[in-house]
Amino acid sequence: MSSSQWPGPGNQRPTIDQYAPPRRRTGWLVWLIVAVVVAALAVTAWQVSRDPESATSGVTPTVATPSAPWTPTSVAPSATAAASSIPFVVGSGVARGQWTITDVSWSATGVTLRMKVTVTEGTLANYAFFIMENDSTDIHESQSQGWSDDISNGTIRAGETVSGRVYFPSPKVASTVMLVRGAGSDPVAALTIGG
């Protein structure tokens, strides 16, 4: 075949790249979906925190009768202490449990959260945490600090509870902490923290 038979500019031989399928660029789509879901969770958490009665409608309170005399103990308030908790259900019953943030401690470089996650049914596989700044919607991933009680990711089975710390490099602003599973694509629950 002579060079005059090849199609293209200057009758050059075609390269393989000309016939390769176009590259798929879906990474931005995944982040867009995560951002939309996170924003929806943040709005829901904000609404529930403003109107807690709507979150408990249909729940009848009961008064527990102690079996032994109860003596209240005083606890000194802490400027960094903030406890909040939320039950969660993954999918249609894949896992159920309770997630609690027991302490929030800000530093010049970020925030350390003490948390507890209990799974009562099923398995919470490949969980992780993210934090989103409420005003800017900037998202920060947790960073392992090498702590022995670092619970920034993992798997928890029915009947297990993990307690420990998670660190986020984030400015000190009101934020929403997200518990997710499966590399951040499946949101489980969200809790807000103050800045």
Side-chain angles (χ1 to χ4, degrees):
M1 196 178 253
S2 70
S3 65
S4 62
Q5 294 175 333
W6 291 103
N11 293 329
Q12 296 177 351
R13 292 186 134 172
T15 62
I16 278 234
D17 293 339
Q18 289 175 320
Y19 298 102
R23 286 194 244 172
R24 300 174 80 184
R25 300 181 194 271
T26 58
W28 68 271
L29 182 60
V30 170
W31 281 108
L32 178 64
I33 291 170
V34 168
V36 168
V37 169
V38 166
L41 286 171
V43 168
T44 302
W46 177 73
Q47 288 176 338
V48 168
S49 68
R50 290 194 62 203
D51 187 16
E53 288 183 19
S54 67
T56 59
S57 61
V59 176
T60 306
T62 59
V63 177
T65 307
S67 56
W70 178 71
T71 307
T73 58
S74 66
V75 177
S78 166
T80 61
S84 57
S85 187
I86 189 169
F88 63 83
V89 177
V90 177
S92 56
V94 172
R96 293 179 186 275
Q98 186 80 21
W99 171 37
T100 304
I101 296 176
T102 58
D103 186 63
V104 178
S105 180
W106 292 96
S107 69
T109 59
V111 62
T112 300
L113 303 177
R114 287 197 176 273
M115 297 190 277
K116 177 171 75 170
V117 182
T118 301
V119 174
T120 55
E121 295 177 27
T123 299
L124 179 59
N126 301 318
Y127 75 85
F129 297 97
F130 291 91
I131 193 169
M132 179 184 72
E133 298 172 33
N134 290 351
D135 289 338
S136 70
T137 66
D138 287 344
I139 296 175
H140 307 280
E141 293 183 54
S142 61
Q143 284 185 355
S144 176
Q145 298 297 298
W147 299 320
S148 61
D149 64 342
D150 188 319
I151 61 166
S152 55
N153 55 50
T155 297
I156 310 169
R157 290 171 179 68
E160 294 179 344
T161 297
V162 295
S163 297
R165 296 178 286 176
V166 177
Y167 173 79
F168 298 94
S170 174
K172 186 177 180 181
V173 295
S175 301
T176 301
V177 184
M178 296 159 289
L179 170 60
V180 298
R181 72 175 185 134
S185 61
D186 187 9
V188 175
L191 290 170
T192 58
I193 60 171

